[in-house]
Amino acid sequence: MSKSKKKEFMEQAGQKRGNILREFLDFLRHNKKWWLLPILLILLLMGLILLLSGTALAPFLYPLF
């Protein structure tokens, strides 16, 4: 490795890490894959509904279907 690449690597290694949401948004912005966002939101919403269906909120969720 050249010194400049090694220095760049060390600088990036020392930077503060972001959370997974920030990394995902940076990925979407950089790669222009905004079509993934609605898919992910729908999957998260469905997961939340499935999680809540086993609780006392279940009678309020059934009219949604």
Side-chain angles (χ1 to χ4, degrees), residues 2-31:
S2 67
K3 286 187 178 187
S4 64
K5 288 192 181 237
K6 191 172 187 178
K7 182 179 177 185
E8 181 184 342
F9 177 77
M10 292 303 286
E11 286 175 0
Q12 288 182 1
Q15 290 178 352
K16 182 180 175 186
R17 290 187 60 192
N19 59 10
I20 188 82
L21 180 62
R22 187 66 171 146
E23 287 186 27
F24 182 69
L25 289 175
D26 287 341
F27 167 76
L28 291 178
R29 187 178 311 126
H30 180 71
N31 293 318

Side-chain angles (χ1 to χ4, degrees), residues 5-63:
K5 288 192 181 237
K6 191 172 187 178
K7 182 179 177 185
E8 181 184 342
F9 177 77
M10 292 303 286
E11 286 175 0
Q12 288 182 1
Q15 290 178 352
K16 182 180 175 186
R17 290 187 60 192
N19 59 10
I20 188 82
L21 180 62
R22 187 66 171 146
E23 287 186 27
F24 182 69
L25 289 175
D26 287 341
F27 167 76
L28 291 178
R29 187 178 311 126
H30 180 71
N31 293 318
K32 296 179 177 45
K33 297 202 182 286
W34 292 108
W35 55 270
L36 284 173
L37 195 58
I39 296 170
L40 181 68
L41 291 176
I42 295 296
L43 287 174
L44 289 174
L45 183 63
M46 292 302 290
L48 180 67
I49 289 174
L50 286 174
L51 182 69
L52 292 177
S53 67
T55 65
L57 294 174
F60 301 108
L61 295 176
Y62 292 136

